[in-house]
């Protein structure tokens, strides 16, 4: 008599994707590949330059124009790491130095240097660093990108405005309270702009919000010794 094998299981339908406790299994959102993320990063860099040069001059807060370039560099720093942050800073430094020069070589040197400096602080930690922190009894996790991105923007803008004030002082011009106040106002407005743009820019680059997985405690059945069979 021929042996009948088991039939292959049919594909699961939406009705079958239901757990025993009545909760429906969540579908994982499709994330773009690393190549597409780099393509989007290039598009974002170009759009950021066009918006900064064509749109932002008409946006003034207290006589100061906020910068959209620093929030973009901060998003790339947190999302991609040190190398891409340096690329973004170098791109903006070269383009601004070529098309809109202000102080000679200031943009060319400051943008990549500041991006590389603060990327050491705000980029994701490596798995080795996280494991080392866990071995010391610490949390061993990265701070939320929604917190790191505005802080990175704050320090980028503060570095740029601070060096501009130092350059003005070295040229023999007295630093007045009004000049320092304008620099602080520009830093504050740029940081607030980063708070608004962080989530849309991360979505555009393909970064999804992290969801914490809630693990349920495992239920253990009480151990019952088996009776010896005669």
């Amino acid at each position: 008599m021929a042996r009948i094998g088991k039939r292959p299981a049919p594909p699961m339908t939406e009705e079958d994707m239901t757990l025993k406790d009545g909760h429906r299994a969540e579908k994982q959102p499709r994330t773009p590949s690393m190549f597409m993320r780099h393509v989007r990063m290039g598009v974002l860099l170009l759009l950021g330059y066009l918006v900064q040069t064509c749109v932002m001059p008409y946006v003034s807060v207290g006589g100061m124009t906020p910068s959209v370039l620093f929030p973009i560099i901060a998003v790339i720093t947190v999302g991609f790491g040190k190398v891409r942050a340096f690329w973004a800073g170098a791109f903006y430094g070269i383009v601004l130095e070529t098309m809109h020069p202000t102080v000679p070589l200031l943009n060319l040197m400051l943008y990549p240097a500041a991006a590389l400096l603060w990327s050491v602080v705000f980029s994701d930690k490596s798995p080795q660093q996280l494991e080392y922190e866990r071995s010391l009894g610490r949390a061993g996790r990265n701070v939320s990108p929604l917190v790191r991105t505005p802080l990175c923007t704050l320090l980028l803008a503060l570095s740029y405005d601070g060096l501009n004030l130092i350059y003005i002082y070295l040229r023999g011009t007295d630093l007045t309270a009004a000049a320092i106040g304008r620099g602080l106002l520009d830093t504050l407005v740029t940081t607030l702009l980063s708070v608004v743009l962080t989530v849309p820019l991360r979505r555009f680059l393909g970064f999804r919000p992290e969801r914490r997985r809630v693990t349920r405690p495992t239920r253990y059945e009480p151990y019952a010794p088996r009776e010896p069979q005669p």
Side-chain angles (χ1 to χ4, degrees):
M1 184 175 181
R3 186 177 180 182
I4 302 176
K6 295 183 178 180
R7 296 182 180 179
M12 295 182 62
T13 60
E14 292 187 0
E15 289 77 12
D16 298 330
M17 297 176 60
T18 305
L19 302 180
K20 294 181 180 180
D21 54 358
H23 296 282
R24 186 176 296 276
E26 296 182 358
K27 295 182 180 180
Q28 295 295 334
R30 181 179 298 179
T31 56
S33 61
M34 186 57 66
F35 174 75
M36 288 304 301
R37 284 184 176 179
H38 282 81
V39 172
R40 294 183 182 185
M41 183 182 71
V43 173
L44 180 61
L45 289 174
L46 182 59
L47 289 177
Y49 169 73
L50 294 177
V51 170
Q52 182 64 32
T53 55
C54 300
V55 178
M56 298 308 291
Y58 299 98
V59 180
S60 178
V61 179
M64 302 300 300
T65 300
S67 174
V68 75
L69 305 182
F70 291 134
I72 293 177
I73 294 176
V75 169
I76 294 176
T77 299
V78 176
F80 291 94
K82 304 179 182 65
V83 178
R84 277 74 174 181
F86 177 78
W87 291 358
F91 173 76
Y92 283 141
I94 293 173
V95 172
L96 291 177
E97 185 66 27
T98 304
M99 304 300 295
H100 302 277
T102 53
V103 179
L105 299 180
L106 178 63
N107 293 327
L108 184 62
M109 297 177 59
L110 181 58
Y111 271 88
L116 185 60
L117 172 64
W118 297 118
S119 66
V120 177
V121 181
F122 294 103
S123 60
D124 284 340
K125 300 177 183 179
S126 63
Q128 292 79 8
Q129 290 177 332
L130 297 178
E131 189 63 28
Y132 177 72
E133 290 182 359
R134 294 190 188 102
S135 65
L136 297 178
R138 301 177 183 174
R141 60 182 179 85
N142 292 307
V143 183
S144 174
L146 302 181
V147 177
R148 286 183 288 158
T149 304
L151 289 178
C152 183
T153 304
L154 172 64
L155 293 178
L156 286 171
L158 192 62
S159 301
Y160 186 82
D161 294 329
L163 285 180
N164 273 325
L165 292 176
I166 292 174
Y167 179 80
I168 292 174
Y169 177 76
L170 292 178
R171 292 187 58 182
T173 305
D174 295 334
L175 291 180
T176 61
I180 298 176
R182 286 194 299 268
L184 294 177
L185 178 62
D186 179 67
T187 300
L188 178 60
V189 174
T190 302
T191 305
L192 294 178
L193 182 62
S194 175
V195 173
V196 177
L197 295 179
T198 295
V199 175
L201 294 182
R202 286 183 59 85
R203 289 292 183 88
F204 177 77
L205 293 175
F207 294 101
R208 303 297 179 183
E210 299 180 357
R211 298 180 179 179
R212 295 184 179 180
R213 298 180 178 179
V214 180
T215 57
R216 299 182 178 180
T218 306
R219 297 180 180 178
Y220 296 96
E221 297 181 357
Y223 173 73
R226 296 182 180 180
E227 297 179 359
Q229 298 179 358

